[in-house]
Amino acid sequence: MHQSKIAGIGMYVPNHVYTNSDLTRFMETSDEWIRERTGIQERRFADRYGETTTTMAVEAAKAAMERAGTTPQDIDFIVFATLSPDYYFPGCGVLLQREMGMREVGALDVRNQCSGFVYALSVADQFIKTGMYKNILVVGSEKHSFAMDFETRSRNVSVIFGDGAGAVVLQPTEERDSGILSTHLHSDGSDAELLAMYYPGAHANKWLDHPAPFPDQELGGLFLTAEQLESGAALPYMDGPAVFKKAIVKFPEVIKEALATNGLSEKAIDLLVPHQANLRISQYVQKLLGLSDDQVFNNIQKYGNTTAASIPIALCEAWEAGKIEPGDLVCLAAFGSGFTWASALIRW
Ligand code: COA
């Protein structure tokens, strides 16, 4: 069985920078509140009409493929993680395949929100291990700005999220104790509605306690009345404190699981790249695990929470900044909507 390694990594963030102060033009919030609670100073928002989740992914993928020395023709499988696809269906995987002029390879879409990239990486890792594929493009990309509400009623959500994309090319490696050592995936759906966007969805009326718009109609239901739209029924919902409480338990748990599986301790970690959910969450996890500042990479200050894109963007920036050397032990860890959580331990 082959181990898989990250042969190339790339990222893309849109040009438009929105500082916390910029957001005060749209809603009642303040730079101080956002910094204190989340650590975020600014985020990028995609061009409203010119950029999509797929176009950003294309840019990140080009950089990853160039660094891996591969061309679109070499890619034999795509795994695309996003919660903000260009279309409700089909998923972004096929759009990426089309935009990049790839062969008629398989394209899998992963919907695990903030854990999406680690889930996607784990899926790709299994395909490499079995020898089925040799060049897998794994992408996390999000255009949150299109579905966010910039009014005060949604400020707890909309100050947190940003747009961007990250990608890696995964290849087999012959080296022992190298590449992805293990991945660990978990879920607990009992609190699925605490961080969710209910529409469009088959159960939306049930969860939202909103009467069906046309109660006499036996079929259909993907309709919102003007009143429901106005009331924010189609907007993302987040119980921030509940998410926070669960995250600070599951992040350390899944990191420890990865270390224990490989017979390693926290000291062995050269760099922890956590999903950039909230700087306070990362700092809490760092303290709990007894990690030094040098052992943890955060860039949420610049980009906010980019969900499935946050880990590959952070990993790419850390690598570009020379914080990851060959042989380093890198731990990826994520937690998010579902709830789902996951980790990956990589010998770089
Ligand atoms: N600006 C100013 N005030 C805000 C605000 C904003 N952007 N968002 C919320 N508030 C207000 C609330 O209305 C509330 O006011 P009230 O006390 O008068 O009712 C007050 O701040 C506290 O709200 P609360 O939601 O309890 O704040 P919090 O301290 O829990 O911080 C989060 C909110 C969202 C920053 C925090 O809960 C969090 O980060 N949770 C995790 C979220 C996360 O990681 N999500 C991604 C999952 S991967």
Side-chain angles (χ1 to χ4, degrees), residues 27-87:
M27 63 186 89
E28 285 171 34
T29 188
S30 67
D31 179 44
E32 192 189 9
W33 193 97
I34 302 170
R35 274 181 202 244
E36 267 178 19
R37 308 279 176 128
T38 69
I40 298 166
Q41 297 170 19
E42 58 188 44
R43 73 285 292 140
R44 305 293 179 96
F45 288 146
D47 187 77
R48 191 174 173 85
Y49 302 105
E51 289 179 311
T52 72
T53 297
T54 302
T55 68
M56 290 190 288
V58 166
E59 296 308 318
K62 278 184 192 165
M65 288 193 299
E66 195 182 326
R67 285 166 171 166
T70 53
T71 69
Q73 295 307 307
D74 298 323
I75 298 299
D76 42 24
F77 195 58
I78 300 164
V79 192
F80 198 125
T82 186
L83 70 67
S84 50
D86 292 14
Y87 304 133

Side-chain angles (χ1 to χ4, degrees), residues 27-30 33-34 37-38 114 152 154-157 159-161 195 238-245 247 251 275-278 281 305 307 335-337:
M27 63 186 89
E28 285 171 34
T29 188
S30 67
W33 193 97
I34 302 170
R37 308 279 176 128
T38 69
C114 298
T152 299
S154 299
R155 63 185 176 175
N156 71 320
V157 173
V159 301
I160 290 182
F161 295 95
L195 177 50
M238 179 173 74
D239 179 339
V243 175
F244 198 104
K245 276 184 211 149
F251 264 111
H275 160 56
Q276 303 291 292
N278 180 322
I281 294 176
N305 178 343
T307 308
F335 174 86
S337 158

Side-chain angles (χ1 to χ4, degrees), residues 155-274:
R155 63 185 176 175
N156 71 320
V157 173
S158 43
V159 301
I160 290 182
F161 295 95
D163 300 339
V168 301
V169 174
L170 218 62
Q171 291 177 349
T173 173
E174 298 300 329
E175 286 173 44
R176 291 217 160 266
D177 188 34
S178 175
I180 297 179
L181 305 182
S182 66
T183 58
H184 308 270
L185 311 179
H186 295 282
S187 73
D188 174 4
S190 51
D191 287 325
E193 286 73 32
L194 294 185
L195 177 50
M197 190 165 141
Y198 310 103
Y199 275 102
H203 284 280
N205 284 321
K206 180 180 169 189
W207 302 127
L208 278 174
D209 200 23
H210 281 173
F214 308 108
D216 296 337
Q217 192 178 316
E218 277 180 29
L219 297 173
L222 195 64
F223 305 103
L224 281 173
T225 61
E227 290 76 25
Q228 285 173 329
L229 273 175
E230 193 54 33
S231 74
L235 297 173
Y237 171 79
M238 179 173 74
D239 179 339
V243 175
F244 198 104
K245 276 184 211 149
K246 190 91 172 179
I248 58 174
V249 173
K250 293 303 175 189
F251 264 111
E253 202 175 282
V254 80
I255 294 166
K256 285 182 176 175
E257 182 185 4
L259 290 168
T261 301
N262 293 280
L264 296 165
S265 76
E266 285 82 343
K267 283 198 191 77
I269 295 179
D270 291 298
L271 199 66
L272 170 66
V273 181

Side-chain angles (χ1 to χ4, degrees), residues 323-335:
K323 291 180 186 296
I324 305 175
E325 301 284 347
D328 278 357
L329 188 72
V330 178
C331 183
L332 312 180
F335 174 86

